[in-house]
Amino acid sequence: MGDSGGEEEDNGSRALAYGVHVLTALGAALGFLALQAVFAGNLTVAFVWLGVALVVDAVDGPLARRFAVKSRAKRYDGALLDLVVDFVTYVFVPAAMLLRPEVMAAPYGVIAGLAVTLASALYFADTGIKTDDWWFRGFPAVWNIVVFYVVAFAPPSWLALALILVATALMFLPVVFVHPVRVRRWRWLTLAMLALWAIAAAATLWRGMVPDAWSKAGLALAACYFVGLGLARARMPAR
């Protein structure tokens, strides 16, 4: 009886571990739904799907550690799977959005999309993508967030292209950006700013990607915090 119970528990643990892999893979399916919405010209729905994928990406890591995926579900490489899904949702779908004429006029959107996909493919293969204390080295290719700002604030196409090219260059420069969940320093303030950003982003989605003044202020404040935090980190010793 004892051996049978232990075996059943072990099988259940393995099933949960593989379930985490399925949850991670769900992000790719959500990216496909977002891409379908981009083709249909409904960017609000596309960002909703990308937002759900962002939540999945936020929870699958802690779940993978909780259920010991590396030892119980060895058939699939969770880190590699996560990179594949992230490239779809963080890079490819947002790059496709840049081709929409209401986002960026031609040829700016094509140029921006080429820069984003080429640079991100190299960045995702970088073996030194994180510091020992979990900060990202270089801009972390969160193009879903960048394109969200482009759509919400609607700058001229030339200015949007310039901002994207600057962010692309920052992927390979000696700067750091915070991982909002795993970095311990200033964690509670960072999580509070992340919550502010989420509220402002949700309000922007609710208004069909036409934010009011309060939403714009929240988005701008969060952007300044996350960029500024990396500059502050560069002036302080790691811990």
Side-chain angles (χ1 to χ4, degrees):
M1 289 290 291
D3 292 342
S4 177
E7 184 178 347
E8 288 179 0
E9 182 179 354
D10 191 51
N11 288 337
S13 297
R14 283 200 297 268
L16 288 172
Y18 278 106
V20 175
H21 283 318
V22 174
L23 178 65
T24 302
L26 176 64
L30 293 168
F32 178 79
L33 291 175
L35 188 60
Q36 180 189 40
V38 173
F39 290 158
N42 194 331
L43 296 182
T44 300
V45 171
F47 278 120
V48 168
W49 287 123
L50 290 182
V52 177
L54 195 61
V55 173
V56 170
D57 188 45
V59 301
D60 67 350
L63 287 175
R65 291 184 288 275
R66 167 66 178 80
F67 294 110
V69 166
K70 285 186 177 181
S71 60
R72 292 173 175 165
K74 296 180 179 179
R75 177 171 179 175
Y76 302 109
D77 186 327
L80 182 58
L81 176 61
D82 192 60
L83 283 176
V84 170
V85 173
D86 284 354
F87 194 85
V88 173
T89 57
Y90 283 69
V91 179
F92 194 79
V93 175
M97 289 181 176
L98 298 175
L99 299 176
R100 297 290 311 178
E102 65 270 31
V103 178
M104 292 183 72
Y108 296 102
V110 174
I111 297 171
L114 288 171
V116 164
T117 51
L118 175 61
S120 297
L122 292 170
Y123 184 79
F124 271 52
D126 189 345
T127 56
I129 199 172
K130 291 187 181 76
T131 66
D132 292 338
D133 53 346
W134 293 102
W135 291 72
F136 289 103
R137 285 194 175 96
F139 173 68
V142 284
W143 296 108
N144 49 347
I145 306 300
V146 173
V147 178
F148 184 90
Y149 274 80
V150 170
V151 175
F153 285 84
S157 294
W158 65 266
L159 179 57
L161 175 60
L163 292 173
I164 288 171
L165 292 179
V166 168
T168 301
L170 288 174
M171 296 169 72
F172 307 101
L173 294 178
V175 294
V176 293
F177 288 81
V178 67
H179 189 302
V181 177
R182 304 205 69 177
V183 172
R184 293 183 178 181
R185 180 179 288 184
W186 306 302
R187 176 178 285 173
W188 291 110
L189 179 58
T190 298
L191 291 177
M193 293 303 299
L194 185 63
L196 172 65
W197 177 86
I199 292 170
T204 301
L205 287 170
W206 182 261
R207 293 176 55 86
M209 294 304 298
V210 183
D212 58 15
W214 288 106
S215 298
K216 284 185 175 181
L219 292 172
L221 180 62
C224 290
Y225 173 80
F226 285 108
V227 173
L229 194 62
L231 298 177
R233 160 65 170 77
R235 294 176 177 272
M236 297 180 183
R239 69 178 184 186

